[in-house]
Amino acid sequence: MASTASEIIAFMVSVSGWVLVSSTLPTDYWRVSTIDGTVITTATYWANLWKTCVTDSTGVSNCKDFPSMLALDGYIQACRGLMIAAVSLGFFGSIFALFGMKCTKVGGSDKAKAKIACLAGIVFILSGLCSMTGCSLYANKITTEFFDPLYVEQKMGYAYNGATSVMSSRTKYHGGEDFKTTNPSKQFDKNAYV
């Protein structure tokens, strides 16, 4: 009885994991970026594996589907493929698990059911690896673009203008000479490099 209960619990957990992976595929908010004004958010940009959308401060949205599979970036194609493979493998894994459970009448003898249940476990592991790899690949691309100072696609108001310095309030050197001409390396305040 305990074996049957553990099989049913494992089946329910596996199927609910497959449902959650399936529900992430059409979700709109894989990437979200906002352009803020001084008082309100002026625009919100979001994208997923299938389209990009922009919403302005009045709430009007404008979405555009990706026009062609060949025109996409490689990481989006890879993420699409991995996530679709994860959903497909999860579906077949749940079918195999249903046939391999001891409480069902289909699937043959107990030895055959054990092999089918083992196959279902392997297929579920492959499904999980595909979904984990696809989500990690997409997240890695987002974080590398975010921390890249040369990537300015969604950093519209924050262009890099070069290093600036802050003059210290103390402009004279101890000896009375001009501070700039005496020691040029000390003309910057400690906050100039922060």
Side-chain angles (χ1 to χ4, degrees), residues 114-172:
K115 289 181 182 178
I116 293 172
C118 183
L119 177 66
I122 291 170
V123 170
F124 272 128
I125 289 172
L126 289 175
S127 173
L129 287 174
C130 285
S131 66
M132 185 174 62
T133 305
C135 292
S136 298
L137 181 65
Y138 200 87
N140 180 39
K141 183 67 174 175
I142 290 172
T143 54
T144 54
E145 287 176 355
F146 179 76
F147 289 113
D148 185 9
L150 301 176
Y151 183 81
V152 292
E153 184 176 325
Q154 293 302 322
K155 299 177 187 176
M156 294 177 191
Y158 304 103
Y160 181 70
N161 295 327
T164 58
S165 64
V166 178
M167 286 294 295
S168 175
S169 60
R170 191 176 124 211
T171 57
K172 295 288 183 183

Short mmCIF file of all heavy atoms in Angstrom, two decimals, residues 114-172:
data_model
loop_
_atom_site.label_atom_id
_atom_site.label_comp_id
_atom_site.label_asym_id
_atom_site.label_seq_id
_atom_site.Cartn_x
_atom_site.Cartn_y
_atom_site.Cartn_z
N ALA A 114 7.48 -2.01 -14.19
CA ALA A 114 8.66 -1.41 -13.56
C ALA A 114 9.58 -0.78 -14.61
O ALA A 114 10.13 0.31 -14.40
CB ALA A 114 9.41 -2.46 -12.76
N LYS A 115 9.72 -1.44 -15.76
CA LYS A 115 10.54 -0.87 -16.84
C LYS A 115 9.90 0.39 -17.42
O LYS A 115 10.58 1.37 -17.72
CB LYS A 115 10.74 -1.91 -17.94
CG LYS A 115 11.67 -3.04 -17.54
CD LYS A 115 11.84 -4.02 -18.68
CE LYS A 115 12.74 -5.16 -18.24
NZ LYS A 115 12.90 -6.17 -19.30
N ILE A 116 8.59 0.37 -17.56
CA ILE A 116 7.88 1.55 -18.08
C ILE A 116 7.99 2.70 -17.09
O ILE A 116 8.21 3.85 -17.48
CB ILE A 116 6.41 1.20 -18.40
CG1 ILE A 116 6.34 0.21 -19.56
CG2 ILE A 116 5.63 2.46 -18.74
CD1 ILE A 116 4.94 -0.32 -19.82
N ALA A 117 7.87 2.41 -15.79
CA ALA A 117 7.99 3.46 -14.77
C ALA A 117 9.41 4.03 -14.75
O ALA A 117 9.61 5.24 -14.57
CB ALA A 117 7.62 2.91 -13.40
N CYS A 118 10.42 3.19 -14.95
CA CYS A 118 11.80 3.66 -15.01
C CYS A 118 12.01 4.56 -16.23
O CYS A 118 12.67 5.59 -16.15
CB CYS A 118 12.75 2.46 -15.04
SG CYS A 118 14.48 2.92 -15.02
N LEU A 119 11.43 4.15 -17.36
CA LEU A 119 11.49 4.98 -18.57
C LEU A 119 10.81 6.33 -18.34
O LEU A 119 11.31 7.37 -18.77
CB LEU A 119 10.85 4.24 -19.74
CG LEU A 119 10.78 5.02 -21.05
CD1 LEU A 119 12.16 5.29 -21.61
CD2 LEU A 119 9.92 4.28 -22.05
N ALA A 120 9.68 6.31 -17.65
CA ALA A 120 8.96 7.56 -17.35
C ALA A 120 9.83 8.47 -16.48
O ALA A 120 9.88 9.69 -16.70
CB ALA A 120 7.65 7.26 -16.64
N GLY A 121 10.53 7.90 -15.52
CA GLY A 121 11.42 8.71 -14.68
C GLY A 121 12.55 9.34 -15.47
O GLY A 121 12.88 10.51 -15.27
N ILE A 122 13.13 8.59 -16.39
CA ILE A 122 14.21 9.13 -17.23
C ILE A 122 13.68 10.24 -18.13
O ILE A 122 14.32 11.29 -18.30
CB ILE A 122 14.85 7.99 -18.06
CG1 ILE A 122 15.62 7.05 -17.13
CG2 ILE A 122 15.78 8.54 -19.13
CD1 ILE A 122 16.08 5.78 -17.79
N VAL A 123 12.50 10.04 -18.69
CA VAL A 123 11.90 11.06 -19.56
C VAL A 123 11.58 12.33 -18.75
O VAL A 123 11.80 13.45 -19.23
CB VAL A 123 10.66 10.50 -20.28
CG1 VAL A 123 9.89 11.59 -21.00
CG2 VAL A 123 11.07 9.41 -21.26
N PHE A 124 11.08 12.18 -17.52
CA PHE A 124 10.82 13.35 -16.68
C PHE A 124 12.11 14.09 -16.32
O PHE A 124 12.14 15.32 -16.27
CB PHE A 124 10.08 12.95 -15.40
CG PHE A 124 8.59 12.92 -15.55
CD1 PHE A 124 7.87 11.81 -15.17
CD2 PHE A 124 7.90 14.02 -16.04
CE1 PHE A 124 6.49 11.78 -15.29
CE2 PHE A 124 6.53 14.01 -16.17
CZ PHE A 124 5.82 12.89 -15.80
N ILE A 125 13.18 13.36 -16.07
CA ILE A 125 14.47 14.01 -15.78
C ILE A 125 14.96 14.78 -17.00
O ILE A 125 15.43 15.92 -16.87
CB ILE A 125 15.50 12.96 -15.31
CG1 ILE A 125 15.14 12.46 -13.92
CG2 ILE A 125 16.91 13.53 -15.32
CD1 ILE A 125 15.97 11.30 -13.43
N LEU A 126 14.83 14.19 -18.19
CA LEU A 126 15.22 14.91 -19.41
C LEU A 126 14.36 16.16 -19.63
O LEU A 126 14.86 17.21 -20.05
CB LEU A 126 15.12 13.98 -20.62
CG LEU A 126 16.18 12.88 -20.72
CD1 LEU A 126 15.88 11.97 -21.90
CD2 LEU A 126 17.56 13.48 -20.84
N SER A 127 13.08 16.04 -19.32
CA SER A 127 12.18 17.20 -19.44
C SER A 127 12.61 18.31 -18.49
O SER A 127 12.65 19.49 -18.87
CB SER A 127 10.75 16.77 -19.15
OG SER A 127 9.89 17.88 -19.09
N GLY A 128 12.94 17.95 -17.27
CA GLY A 128 13.39 18.95 -16.31
C GLY A 128 14.70 19.60 -16.71
O GLY A 128 14.88 20.81 -16.55
N LEU A 129 15.63 18.80 -17.25
CA LEU A 129 16.90 19.36 -17.71
C LEU A 129 16.70 20.32 -18.88
O LEU A 129 17.35 21.37 -18.96
CB LEU A 129 17.86 18.24 -18.10
CG LEU A 129 18.46 17.44 -16.95
CD1 LEU A 129 19.28 16.27 -17.49
CD2 LEU A 129 19.32 18.33 -16.08
N CYS A 130 15.79 19.97 -19.80
CA CYS A 130 15.51 20.87 -20.93
C CYS A 130 14.93 22.20 -20.46
O CYS A 130 15.35 23.26 -20.90
CB CYS A 130 14.56 20.19 -21.92
SG CYS A 130 15.32 18.94 -22.93
N SER A 131 13.96 22.14 -19.56
CA SER A 131 13.34 23.39 -19.09
C SER A 131 14.32 24.20 -18.26
O SER A 131 14.38 25.43 -18.38
CB SER A 131 12.08 23.09 -18.30
OG SER A 131 12.38 22.42 -17.11
N MET A 132 15.13 23.55 -17.44
CA MET A 132 16.10 24.27 -16.63
C MET A 132 17.16 24.93 -17.52
O MET A 132 17.55 26.09 -17.29
CB MET A 132 16.77 23.32 -15.65
CG MET A 132 17.72 23.98 -14.69
SD MET A 132 18.35 22.86 -13.45
CE MET A 132 19.22 21.69 -14.45
N THR A 133 17.61 24.23 -18.56
CA THR A 133 18.60 24.79 -19.47
C THR A 133 18.02 25.96 -20.25
O THR A 133 18.69 26.99 -20.43
CB THR A 133 19.11 23.70 -20.42
OG1 THR A 133 19.60 22.60 -19.66
CG2 THR A 133 20.22 24.22 -21.30
N GLY A 134 16.79 25.84 -20.74
CA GLY A 134 16.17 26.93 -21.50
C GLY A 134 15.98 28.19 -20.66
O GLY A 134 16.31 29.30 -21.10
N CYS A 135 15.47 28.03 -19.45
CA CYS A 135 15.27 29.20 -18.58
C CYS A 135 16.59 29.81 -18.15
O CYS A 135 16.74 31.04 -18.09
CB CYS A 135 14.45 28.80 -17.35
SG CYS A 135 12.76 28.37 -17.72
N SER A 136 17.59 28.98 -17.88
CA SER A 136 18.90 29.49 -17.47
C SER A 136 19.59 30.21 -18.62
O SER A 136 20.26 31.23 -18.40
CB SER A 136 19.78 28.35 -16.97
OG SER A 136 19.22 27.75 -15.84
N LEU A 137 19.45 29.71 -19.83
CA LEU A 137 20.04 30.37 -20.98
C LEU A 137 19.44 31.75 -21.19
O LEU A 137 20.15 32.73 -21.43
CB LEU A 137 19.85 29.50 -22.23
CG LEU A 137 20.41 30.02 -23.54
CD1 LEU A 137 21.93 30.10 -23.47
CD2 LEU A 137 19.99 29.11 -24.67
N TYR A 138 18.13 31.86 -21.08
CA TYR A 138 17.45 33.15 -21.26
C TYR A 138 17.83 34.11 -20.13
O TYR A 138 18.11 35.28 -20.38
CB TYR A 138 15.94 32.93 -21.28
CG TYR A 138 15.17 34.06 -21.91
CD1 TYR A 138 14.96 34.09 -23.27
CD2 TYR A 138 14.66 35.10 -21.14
CE1 TYR A 138 14.25 35.12 -23.87
CE2 TYR A 138 13.95 36.13 -21.72
CZ TYR A 138 13.76 36.13 -23.08
OH TYR A 138 13.06 37.16 -23.66
N ALA A 139 17.87 33.62 -18.90
CA ALA A 139 18.25 34.47 -17.77
C ALA A 139 19.69 34.93 -17.87
O ALA A 139 20.02 36.08 -17.54
CB ALA A 139 18.02 33.73 -16.46
N ASN A 140 20.57 34.06 -18.36
CA ASN A 140 21.97 34.44 -18.53
C ASN A 140 22.10 35.56 -19.56
O ASN A 140 22.88 36.50 -19.37
CB ASN A 140 22.80 33.23 -18.96
CG ASN A 140 24.25 33.57 -19.15
OD1 ASN A 140 24.83 34.34 -18.40
ND2 ASN A 140 24.86 32.98 -20.15
N LYS A 141 21.36 35.48 -20.64
CA LYS A 141 21.40 36.53 -21.67
C LYS A 141 20.90 37.86 -21.11
O LYS A 141 21.48 38.91 -21.39
CB LYS A 141 20.56 36.09 -22.87
CG LYS A 141 20.59 37.05 -24.01
CD LYS A 141 21.94 37.12 -24.65
CE LYS A 141 21.89 38.00 -25.88
NZ LYS A 141 23.19 38.19 -26.48
N ILE A 142 19.85 37.82 -20.31
CA ILE A 142 19.31 39.05 -19.73
C ILE A 142 20.33 39.69 -18.79
O ILE A 142 20.57 40.89 -18.84
CB ILE A 142 17.99 38.77 -19.00
CG1 ILE A 142 16.90 38.44 -20.00
CG2 ILE A 142 17.56 39.96 -18.15
CD1 ILE A 142 15.62 37.97 -19.37
N THR A 143 20.95 38.90 -17.93
CA THR A 143 21.89 39.48 -16.96
C THR A 143 23.16 39.96 -17.63
O THR A 143 23.71 40.99 -17.23
CB THR A 143 22.23 38.46 -15.86
OG1 THR A 143 22.70 37.26 -16.45
CG2 THR A 143 21.05 38.18 -14.98
N THR A 144 23.64 39.28 -18.66
CA THR A 144 24.84 39.78 -19.34
C THR A 144 24.55 41.08 -20.08
O THR A 144 25.40 41.97 -20.13
CB THR A 144 25.41 38.74 -20.31
OG1 THR A 144 24.41 38.33 -21.22
CG2 THR A 144 25.98 37.56 -19.58
N GLU A 145 23.36 41.21 -20.67
CA GLU A 145 23.00 42.47 -21.32
C GLU A 145 22.81 43.58 -20.30
O GLU A 145 23.13 44.73 -20.55
CB GLU A 145 21.73 42.30 -22.14
CG GLU A 145 21.93 41.51 -23.41
CD GLU A 145 20.63 41.27 -24.16
OE1 GLU A 145 19.54 41.64 -23.64
OE2 GLU A 145 20.70 40.70 -25.26
N PHE A 146 22.28 43.25 -19.13
CA PHE A 146 22.05 44.27 -18.10
C PHE A 146 23.37 44.83 -17.57
O PHE A 146 23.51 46.03 -17.36
CB PHE A 146 21.24 43.68 -16.95
CG PHE A 146 20.97 44.66 -15.85
CD1 PHE A 146 20.01 45.65 -16.01
CD2 PHE A 146 21.68 44.60 -14.67
CE1 PHE A 146 19.76 46.56 -15.00
CE2 PHE A 146 21.43 45.51 -13.65
CZ PHE A 146 20.48 46.48 -13.82
N PHE A 147 24.34 43.98 -17.34
CA PHE A 147 25.60 44.43 -16.77
C PHE A 147 26.62 44.87 -17.81
O PHE A 147 27.71 45.30 -17.45
CB PHE A 147 26.20 43.34 -15.88
CG PHE A 147 25.44 43.15 -14.62
CD1 PHE A 147 24.75 41.97 -14.38
CD2 PHE A 147 25.37 44.15 -13.66
CE1 PHE A 147 24.02 41.80 -13.21
CE2 PHE A 147 24.65 43.99 -12.50
CZ PHE A 147 23.98 42.80 -12.27
N ASP A 148 26.30 44.78 -19.09
CA ASP A 148 27.20 45.23 -20.14
C ASP A 148 27.02 46.74 -20.34
O ASP A 148 25.95 47.19 -20.74
CB ASP A 148 26.89 44.49 -21.45
CG ASP A 148 27.86 44.83 -22.56
OD1 ASP A 148 28.88 45.51 -22.29
OD2 ASP A 148 27.61 44.41 -23.70
N PRO A 149 28.05 47.56 -20.07
CA PRO A 149 27.89 49.01 -20.21
C PRO A 149 27.75 49.46 -21.66
O PRO A 149 27.29 50.56 -21.92
CB PRO A 149 29.15 49.59 -19.57
CG PRO A 149 30.14 48.49 -19.64
CD PRO A 149 29.39 47.21 -19.58
N LEU A 150 28.13 48.63 -22.61
CA LEU A 150 28.04 49.00 -24.02
C LEU A 150 26.70 48.62 -24.65
O LEU A 150 26.41 49.01 -25.76
CB LEU A 150 29.18 48.36 -24.80
CG LEU A 150 30.58 48.74 -24.32
CD1 LEU A 150 31.62 47.97 -25.10
CD2 LEU A 150 30.79 50.22 -24.42
N TYR A 151 25.89 47.85 -23.94
CA TYR A 151 24.57 47.46 -24.44
C TYR A 151 23.57 48.52 -24.00
O TYR A 151 23.27 48.64 -22.82
CB TYR A 151 24.18 46.08 -23.89
CG TYR A 151 22.87 45.58 -24.42
CD1 TYR A 151 22.79 44.98 -25.67
CD2 TYR A 151 21.70 45.69 -23.68
CE1 TYR A 151 21.59 44.51 -26.16
CE2 TYR A 151 20.50 45.22 -24.17
CZ TYR A 151 20.46 44.64 -25.40
OH TYR A 151 19.26 44.19 -25.89
N VAL A 152 23.04 49.29 -24.95
CA VAL A 152 22.18 50.42 -24.59
C VAL A 152 20.77 50.29 -25.17
O VAL A 152 20.05 51.28 -25.24
CB VAL A 152 22.80 51.75 -25.05
CG1 VAL A 152 24.04 52.05 -24.26
CG2 VAL A 152 23.07 51.75 -26.54
N GLU A 153 20.36 49.10 -25.59
CA GLU A 153 19.05 48.97 -26.23
C GLU A 153 17.92 49.41 -25.32
O GLU A 153 17.04 50.15 -25.72
CB GLU A 153 18.83 47.53 -26.66
CG GLU A 153 17.54 47.34 -27.42
CD GLU A 153 17.38 45.93 -27.92
OE1 GLU A 153 18.38 45.31 -28.29
OE2 GLU A 153 16.25 45.45 -27.94
N GLN A 154 17.89 48.98 -24.07
CA GLN A 154 16.83 49.36 -23.15
C GLN A 154 17.32 50.31 -22.07
O GLN A 154 16.62 50.56 -21.11
CB GLN A 154 16.22 48.13 -22.50
CG GLN A 154 15.48 47.25 -23.48
CD GLN A 154 14.37 47.99 -24.19
OE1 GLN A 154 13.68 48.81 -23.60
NE2 GLN A 154 14.21 47.73 -25.47
N LYS A 155 18.52 50.84 -22.20
CA LYS A 155 19.06 51.80 -21.24
C LYS A 155 19.05 53.18 -21.89
O LYS A 155 20.06 53.85 -21.98
CB LYS A 155 20.48 51.41 -20.85
CG LYS A 155 20.59 50.05 -20.20
CD LYS A 155 22.02 49.72 -19.91
CE LYS A 155 22.16 48.32 -19.41
NZ LYS A 155 23.53 47.93 -19.21
N MET A 156 17.89 53.61 -22.36
CA MET A 156 17.82 54.82 -23.20
C MET A 156 18.26 56.08 -22.49
O MET A 156 19.00 56.87 -23.03
CB MET A 156 16.40 54.99 -23.71
CG MET A 156 15.96 53.90 -24.65
SD MET A 156 14.26 54.13 -25.12
CE MET A 156 13.96 52.57 -25.92
N GLY A 157 17.81 56.28 -21.27
CA GLY A 157 18.13 57.51 -20.59
C GLY A 157 19.42 57.48 -19.81
O GLY A 157 19.76 58.44 -19.13
N TYR A 158 20.17 56.42 -19.92
CA TYR A 158 21.35 56.28 -19.09
C TYR A 158 22.58 56.01 -19.94
O TYR A 158 23.30 55.07 -19.74
CB TYR A 158 21.16 55.13 -18.09
CG TYR A 158 19.94 55.31 -17.24
CD1 TYR A 158 18.78 54.58 -17.48
CD2 TYR A 158 19.92 56.24 -16.21
CE1 TYR A 158 17.66 54.75 -16.71
CE2 TYR A 158 18.80 56.41 -15.44
CZ TYR A 158 17.68 55.67 -15.70
OH TYR A 158 16.56 55.85 -14.94
N ALA A 159 22.82 56.87 -20.92
CA ALA A 159 24.00 56.70 -21.77
C ALA A 159 25.25 57.07 -20.98
O ALA A 159 25.26 57.98 -20.16
CB ALA A 159 23.87 57.59 -23.00
N TYR A 160 26.34 56.36 -21.27
CA TYR A 160 27.60 56.58 -20.58
C TYR A 160 28.31 57.76 -21.21
O TYR A 160 28.57 57.79 -22.40
CB TYR A 160 28.45 55.32 -20.68
CG TYR A 160 29.78 55.43 -19.98
CD1 TYR A 160 29.85 55.48 -18.61
CD2 TYR A 160 30.96 55.49 -20.70
CE1 TYR A 160 31.06 55.58 -17.96
CE2 TYR A 160 32.18 55.59 -20.07
CZ TYR A 160 32.22 55.63 -18.70
OH TYR A 160 33.42 55.73 -18.06
N ASN A 161 28.62 58.80 -20.42
CA ASN A 161 29.25 60.01 -20.92
C ASN A 161 30.71 60.12 -20.55
O ASN A 161 31.30 61.17 -20.68
CB ASN A 161 28.52 61.24 -20.38
CG ASN A 161 27.11 61.32 -20.90
OD1 ASN A 161 26.84 60.91 -22.02
ND2 ASN A 161 26.19 61.80 -20.09
N GLY A 162 31.30 59.09 -20.05
CA GLY A 162 32.70 59.14 -19.65
C GLY A 162 32.81 59.46 -18.18
O GLY A 162 31.85 59.79 -17.49
N ALA A 163 34.03 59.35 -17.67
CA ALA A 163 34.27 59.59 -16.25
C ALA A 163 34.25 61.08 -15.94
O ALA A 163 34.73 61.90 -16.71
CB ALA A 163 35.61 59.00 -15.86
N THR A 164 33.67 61.44 -14.83
CA THR A 164 33.67 62.81 -14.37
C THR A 164 34.37 62.86 -13.02
O THR A 164 34.49 61.87 -12.33
CB THR A 164 32.24 63.36 -14.21
OG1 THR A 164 31.55 62.54 -13.29
CG2 THR A 164 31.53 63.37 -15.54
N SER A 165 34.84 64.02 -12.67
CA SER A 165 35.53 64.14 -11.39
C SER A 165 34.89 65.25 -10.57
O SER A 165 34.22 66.12 -11.08
CB SER A 165 37.01 64.46 -11.63
OG SER A 165 37.13 65.72 -12.25
N VAL A 166 35.13 65.18 -9.30
CA VAL A 166 34.62 66.16 -8.37
C VAL A 166 35.81 66.86 -7.75
O VAL A 166 36.70 66.22 -7.19
CB VAL A 166 33.77 65.48 -7.26
CG1 VAL A 166 33.28 66.49 -6.27
CG2 VAL A 166 32.63 64.72 -7.89
N MET A 167 35.85 68.16 -7.89
CA MET A 167 36.95 68.92 -7.29
C MET A 167 36.74 68.99 -5.79
O MET A 167 35.63 69.16 -5.31
CB MET A 167 36.98 70.34 -7.86
CG MET A 167 37.50 70.42 -9.27
SD MET A 167 39.23 69.96 -9.39
CE MET A 167 39.98 71.25 -8.44
N SER A 168 37.79 68.86 -5.07
CA SER A 168 37.72 68.97 -3.63
C SER A 168 37.46 70.41 -3.24
O SER A 168 37.81 71.35 -3.95
CB SER A 168 39.05 68.49 -3.03
OG SER A 168 39.04 68.70 -1.65
N SER A 169 36.83 70.60 -2.10
CA SER A 169 36.57 71.96 -1.64
C SER A 169 37.87 72.64 -1.23
O SER A 169 37.95 73.86 -1.17
CB SER A 169 35.58 71.93 -0.47
OG SER A 169 36.12 71.17 0.59
N ARG A 170 38.88 71.87 -0.97
CA ARG A 170 40.19 72.43 -0.61
C ARG A 170 41.01 72.56 -1.88
O ARG A 170 41.45 71.56 -2.44
CB ARG A 170 40.88 71.49 0.38
CG ARG A 170 42.09 72.08 1.01
CD ARG A 170 42.64 71.13 2.02
NE ARG A 170 44.01 70.88 1.63
CZ ARG A 170 44.67 69.78 1.82
NH1 ARG A 170 44.09 68.78 2.41
NH2 ARG A 170 45.90 69.65 1.44
N THR A 171 41.21 73.76 -2.40
CA THR A 171 41.90 73.94 -3.67
C THR A 171 43.33 74.42 -3.50
O THR A 171 44.05 74.51 -4.47
CB THR A 171 41.15 74.95 -4.55
OG1 THR A 171 41.04 76.17 -3.83
CG2 THR A 171 39.79 74.41 -4.92
N LYS A 172 43.75 74.72 -2.35
CA LYS A 172 45.13 75.19 -2.15
C LYS A 172 45.93 74.14 -1.40
O LYS A 172 45.44 73.45 -0.52
CB LYS A 172 45.14 76.49 -1.34
CG LYS A 172 44.50 77.66 -2.06
CD LYS A 172 45.38 78.12 -3.17
CE LYS A 172 44.76 79.33 -3.84
NZ LYS A 172 45.49 79.79 -4.95
#
